[in-house]
Amino acid sequence: MKHTFTILTFVCALLCIPSIAHANKLYIIPADASGNIVRNADGDYPDKQALTESADEVYTINAVDLPSGKFAIYAYADDTQESTFYATASWAVSPIPPSYPSPLILAVTGSLITLAESGTYDIEFYSRNIEGISSHMLIATPTTPDMAHYPSQIYLVGENNDVVTLTGNPHEGIYYALVTPPATFKISYEPRVSEDAFIFGPAGGGNGNVPLNANESVAIAYATGTNATFTVQPSAIKAHTSHMVVNLAAGYILATTEIPTGIDKVITDGDKSMYYTLAGVPLRGEPDSSGVYLRVQGGSISKILIP
């Protein structure tokens, strides 16, 4: 897919390290199964794999095997014989989300980028120069269909940087929680939303406020309507809390005072069961301790008691 957005990242203050604008070679160095990168006696990295640069300065490499889910991004400049590494920005989500752009900064030798799962990935790196500031983004897309293709969590980010987290299943792209939402917010997979690259906005675009009425889903899409905000209406709030559902696979957000039901509003995976606490926190499997839980199965939600 074509990526036309940009992001400003914090630039490392190490003046001896060149930016990608001065480097003419870029490499992926997979970490081994123990999470280490190998360096030989000559100071080189024998496992490095070169990325190919396109005409618009996008670097790509396909089907990179990452046995530990960790790797390094290494750049080298022939003219100065200087090199640098890149790392996930200190404020950004790590492990980085699959299939979506992550911000990078210049880093020290041997810095590693971490994915949530080991496996094989197509990797894309691109850089832009905006008003004299270098910006760097990386996308790691799984090549195996059953690997995760969505972020591990979604953030509702308010105007005053108050953040509410919705956790979910990254293999399905469905996030649910019983929360007190910000008065108005944007939907992002990074806790910062100053740049368009992280935002899921109303599918119709626009710059205004989008009301979320009780039990009425609103269509959302990635990198659209990034200047718009959402507001949960009083009819969808009960005692200042609301059941919030964000479904990236189906492309909608839903606010309701009741436990959401309906196969098109909760889950699209047949008879597979998912379990949540009453607060809406998803479990990795079946409950293993006594208590009351929510079970989502076949398009409906029910309460179950584990004695």
Side-chain angles (χ1 to χ4, degrees):
M1 63 181 168
K2 183 67 175 177
H3 307 288
T4 58
F5 40 79
T6 56
I7 179 172
L8 299 181
T9 63
F10 295 108
V11 177
C12 180
L14 302 177
L15 298 181
C16 62
I17 298 178
S19 74
I20 193 64
H22 303 295
N24 63 328
K25 293 179 180 178
L26 194 70
Y27 301 92
I28 292 289
I29 309 175
D32 61 22
S34 299
N36 301 310
I37 59 174
V38 177
R39 191 172 189 177
N40 60 27
D42 296 329
D44 196 12
Y45 301 93
D47 297 331
K48 68 179 186 291
Q49 301 176 39
L51 282 78
T52 301
E53 181 183 6
S54 66
D56 56 353
E57 297 183 353
V58 176
Y59 293 76
T60 59
I61 186 170
N62 294 329
V64 179
D65 184 25
L66 302 174
S68 66
K70 297 181 179 182
F71 62 97
I73 294 283
Y74 171 67
Y76 183 80
D78 279 331
D79 55 350
T80 62
Q81 296 185 334
E82 293 179 318
S83 63
T84 189
F85 280 74
Y86 291 88
T88 306
S90 59
W91 51 267
V93 169
S94 181
I96 65 173
S99 307
Y100 291 95
S102 293
L104 302 182
I105 58 173
L106 299 179
V108 298
T109 299
S111 295
L112 292 175
I113 296 170
T114 302
L115 291 156
E117 296 186 54
S118 60
T120 304
Y121 290 82
D122 295 338
I123 294 176
E124 177 180 327
F125 177 103
Y126 57 97
S127 176
R128 297 291 184 270
N129 191 282
I130 307 170
E131 298 180 354
I133 301 176
S134 183
S135 61
H136 315 289
M137 297 288 277
L138 180 138
I139 306 171
T141 302
T143 59
T144 306
D146 61 354
M147 292 178 65
H149 281 265
Y150 297 98
S152 59
Q153 54 197 12
I154 289 293
Y155 301 99
L156 309 181
V157 185
E159 293 179 339
N160 297 320
N161 291 323
D162 49 328
V163 176
V164 171
T165 303
L166 275 62
T167 55
N169 188 326
H171 293 272
E172 297 171 342
I174 302 172
Y175 310 84
Y176 164 69
L178 178 62
V179 296
T180 302
T184 61
F185 60 87
K186 295 183 179 182
I187 307 168
S188 172
Y189 64 87
E190 290 282 0
R192 294 188 180 186
V193 292
S194 59
E195 298 299 331
D196 295 350
F198 308 137
I199 298 173
F200 298 87
N207 299 321
N209 183 265
V210 178
L212 295 176
N213 295 305
N215 305 315
E216 296 179 3
S217 61
V218 174
I220 60 174
Y222 173 62
T224 65
T226 54
N227 291 322
T229 58
F230 296 93
T231 300
V232 179
Q233 298 302 293
S235 62
I237 296 176
K238 185 175 182 180
H240 305 292
T241 63
S242 179
H243 293 277
M244 300 295 299
V245 178
V246 172
N247 188 325
L248 298 185
Y252 68 81
I253 181 172
L254 174 71
T256 176
T257 57
E258 304 297 331
I259 298 175
T261 59
I263 194 166
D264 60 330
K265 286 184 168 59
V266 177
I267 194 166
T268 58
D269 196 16
D271 293 330
K272 181 178 179 180
S273 295
M274 293 180 62
Y275 296 87
Y276 298 81
T277 69
L278 291 179
V281 178
L283 306 180
R284 292 185 176 274
E286 295 186 6
D288 56 6
S289 59
S290 60
V292 179
Y293 299 89
L294 305 178
R295 179 173 61 193
V296 180
Q297 184 181 35
S300 63
I301 296 181
S302 58
K303 288 185 180 181
I304 61 170
L305 173 63
I306 304 297

